[in-house]
Amino acid sequence: MSEKDGEPNGEQLDAEPTEAERIDAETPGVDDAGELEAAEAEVAEDAQDDEDKVVATPPRRRARGARPAGRPTESGRTGEGTRTRAEAERARAAELRRKRSIGRFLREVVAELRKVIWPGRKELITYTTVVIVFVAVMVAIVAGLDILFAQGVLAVFG
């Protein structure tokens, strides 16, 4: 009989099975070890692609020695001339003037006040009443403690 009939021929009985034949025998449903290895490689590649999607990795790496524009080289120069001290001070003064502008301050105040949700008349009366009652209760507590401590001091030091 031949190998196709399910019985090995005489030559194969003496020889040890190859690695591919051993893998074929161990994995049911897979006819070829090469197919299995290709499928495993594809699964591993898909897993790597999925991992790259989850972990933020840069899409391209720069060529060795390439520098982005404006970044200093080893010597500390960006390729552009450095500003003079006077230019730097003028820029700093202009920034301070821009920040300290009264007109800008007032514009920002008005912008913030427009964002405020103003209470209606009924809410305003309720809030005012609550504040007045709370302040009156606190004044009464402080006044009572003041009188109590004053009498205690007079009793002790007479």
Side-chain angles (χ1 to χ4, degrees):
M1 293 227 143
S2 66
E3 289 181 34
K4 290 183 180 179
D5 294 331
E7 293 181 18
N9 57 18
E11 298 171 7
Q12 207 171 16
L13 288 175
D14 299 324
E16 295 249 343
T18 64
E19 182 70 23
E21 292 170 342
R22 189 177 56 74
I23 291 175
D24 287 341
E26 291 175 359
T27 54
V30 177
D31 295 331
D32 185 22
E35 282 181 34
L36 179 63
E37 290 173 357
E40 287 176 348
E42 185 178 336
V43 169
E45 185 178 319
D46 289 345
Q48 182 64 35
D49 289 344
D50 289 344
E51 185 176 323
D52 288 343
K53 290 177 187 174
V54 174
V55 179
T57 57
R60 287 182 275 142
R61 300 202 187 254
R62 267 188 229 109
R64 188 175 184 111
R67 287 191 174 73
R71 295 280 310 263
T73 59
E74 288 83 14
S75 63
R77 295 186 185 153
T78 61
E80 303 168 356
T82 58
R83 337 186 260 192
T84 64
R85 181 180 297 259
E87 289 173 348
E89 288 177 3
R90 279 193 297 270
R92 194 174 311 122
E95 181 68 20
L96 285 174
R97 276 193 303 275
R98 189 180 65 82
K99 285 183 180 177
R100 292 183 183 169
S101 169
I102 292 175
R104 178 180 175 179
F105 172 75
L106 292 176
R107 282 191 304 273
E108 289 178 1
V109 167
V110 169
E112 289 299 318
L113 288 176
R114 286 186 180 144
K115 295 177 187 176
V116 173
I117 299 173
W118 296 97
R121 181 177 179 85
K122 187 176 180 181
E123 293 172 323
L124 186 63
I125 292 170
T126 303
Y127 296 157
T128 304
T129 304
V130 168
V131 169
I132 290 173
V133 169
F134 178 76
V135 169
V137 169
M138 292 306 293
V139 166
I141 291 172
V142 171
L145 289 173
D146 184 46
I147 291 171
L148 184 68
F149 286 134
Q151 287 182 355
V153 169
L154 284 176
V156 171
F157 297 109

